[in-house]
Amino acid sequence: MSDAIVSSGFIDAAQQSGEQPFTDLHEVYVSASGYERLFYGRRYGRLHILKALKPVYLGNPFYEEALRKEFSIGYRLEHPHIVRALGWETLPELGHCIVLEYIDGMTLRQWTDDGRLTPELARKFVRELCDALGYLHNKQIVHRDLKPDNILITHNGNNVKLIDFGLSDSDDYDVLKLPAGTRYYLAPEALEPGQPLDCRADIFSLGIIVGEMAELLKDKRLAAVSRKCTRQHPAHRYASALEVVQALEGKKPFPSRSKWLVAAVLLIAACAAYLYWTADESAVSFPVYGNRSMPIEQWADSVPLTNHPQSF
């Protein structure tokens, strides 16, 4: 039976033997200071985003490896509030590129500039951002470039989608471990070459974003959360994205295991001290016959003198 008979006519049977090429490719964004550019492209009727290098960086080993690192980090992530990296391809017109899911939405900056932000949505956005950051940090990944331009808000549902892992860092890569990102949102330690960064660098950047929301909405709780997120010393900030959410909702952080252990030891010590100081010696009993017992005075009187040790 021929392919012409098998095919329904809706999809070209010749294209089913391999990957369909992208159509309608057109450039939609070029980074002013970075190394990347973005394209729209269609495949099987679906719109995708393709991230490629600027022409001047094509073939440069450093930037080629940086793009591959971004794909490697993004491809392992699957979270409802993080954009998905779908594949890695080489196109004649673009060179190596990352294929990303298309998000129908706008950046958080555009959202706030349009006057759409409300206190309820601000809290929703922060919770969803913290959910995404907690997921990243559990995988030992630091985003390093958290800012309103890298946060998309979907038109359908007003959901957060974190994008752009071009400057992200993980334990298994040593490429691009140097000060990078948007200076206004960077933690102080991120400006120091060779300084190791952990999740608290992202917490600082998140705090700047929350502070901008607080100023726009005149929201005291958001402002309080922002102040602790953006403390200069990392140890004085929230230790995790979960703590940020708890503070936003007015909950106290859940005590750590060590705090529970100290509390248990103190409680046991207090109970022992109480029993010691309130015990009535006259009520102390000693076993005599099997399970029977008697008061200490009666026990002493009942013991024959010959049982007592003699002095010589």
Side-chain angles (χ1 to χ4, degrees):
M1 187 177 293
S2 68
D3 287 342
I5 298 175
V6 173
S7 173
S8 65
F10 291 102
I11 299 177
D12 187 350
Q15 293 180 348
Q16 297 185 50
S17 59
E19 201 69 78
Q20 186 184 38
F22 285 100
T23 60
D24 302 326
L25 279 175
H26 61 280
E27 190 175 77
V28 293
Y29 171 79
V30 179
S31 174
S33 56
Y35 56 85
E36 73 278 359
R37 52 182 180 156
L38 300 179
F39 290 77
Y40 284 151
R42 291 188 180 276
R43 173 180 278 171
Y44 300 121
R46 289 182 56 191
L47 196 59
H48 296 77
I49 298 293
L50 287 82
K51 189 169 191 177
L53 296 176
K54 293 179 180 178
V56 68
Y57 296 124
L58 288 174
N60 184 306
F62 178 83
Y63 292 102
E64 293 282 359
E65 181 63 17
L67 186 68
R68 186 173 290 276
K69 181 199 78 166
E70 180 178 356
F71 166 72
S72 178
I73 290 176
Y75 192 67
R76 73 181 78 168
L77 304 177
E78 188 150 353
H79 189 276
H81 299 304
I82 297 176
V83 68
R84 291 180 60 202
L86 303 176
W88 171 270
E89 297 194 20
T90 303
L91 303 182
E93 55 270 66
L94 301 181
H96 298 309
C97 60
I98 304 170
V99 181
L100 301 164
E101 69 170 323
Y102 169 74
I103 304 298
D104 183 20
M106 63 174 62
T107 68
L108 178 59
R109 187 174 303 282
Q110 292 171 324
W111 187 279
T112 54
D113 287 348
D114 287 352
R116 301 188 181 196
L117 192 66
T118 65
E120 294 76 18
L121 282 175
R123 282 162 171 74
K124 169 182 164 63
F125 295 162
V126 174
R127 284 194 299 269
E128 292 179 354
L129 270 175
C130 287
D131 194 18
L133 289 175
Y135 173 82
L136 288 177
H137 297 160
N138 285 337
K139 290 181 173 291
Q140 287 75 52
I141 297 173
V142 183
H143 189 279
R144 297 184 74 208
D145 196 19
L146 195 62
K147 58 184 179 181
D149 297 295
N150 285 338
I151 300 165
L152 292 182
I153 308 300
T154 65
H155 291 314
N156 184 12
N158 300 334
N159 297 311
V160 161
K161 288 283 189 177
L162 185 58
I163 65 171
D164 198 348
F165 291 84
L167 299 179
S168 297
D169 197 9
S170 64
D171 290 344
D172 55 353
Y173 268 96
D174 59 3
V175 179
L176 224 59
K177 288 185 184 290
L178 67 162
T182 304
R183 190 179 188 89
Y184 177 72
Y185 295 93
L186 281 180
E189 64 270 21
L191 297 172
E192 302 174 16
Q195 179 71 22
L197 301 180
D198 59 21
C199 67
R200 293 170 296 184
D202 283 342
I203 297 296
F204 182 96
S205 302
L206 175 66
I208 298 294
I209 296 170
V210 173
E212 291 177 334
M213 293 180 178
E215 184 176 358
L216 184 65
L217 298 171
K218 310 302 180 187
D219 190 302
K220 292 183 178 179
R221 183 170 292 280
L222 287 175
V225 170
S226 171
R227 283 194 295 271
K228 184 163 182 178
C229 285
T230 55
R231 290 180 179 173
Q232 292 296 299
H233 198 287
H236 298 159
R237 302 170 199 155
Y238 296 110
S240 68
L242 175 60
E243 287 192 10
V244 176
V245 174
Q246 290 172 336
L248 185 66
E249 296 176 350
K251 298 178 181 178
K252 293 183 178 179
F254 193 75
S256 64
R257 182 179 299 179
S258 59
K259 290 181 180 179
W260 276 118
L261 181 60
V262 171
V265 170
L266 291 176
L267 180 60
I268 292 172
C271 291
Y274 174 80
L275 292 175
Y276 176 80
W277 290 109
T278 59
D280 184 359
E281 289 187 356
S282 64
V284 177
S285 298
F286 288 83
V288 179
Y289 302 112
N291 292 326
R292 294 188 300 164
S293 61
M294 61 179 66
I296 187 169
E297 295 87 352
Q298 185 179 347
W299 174 82
D301 292 340
S302 68
V303 177
L305 292 176
T306 55
N307 289 349
H308 290 278
Q310 298 183 8
S311 302
F312 294 97

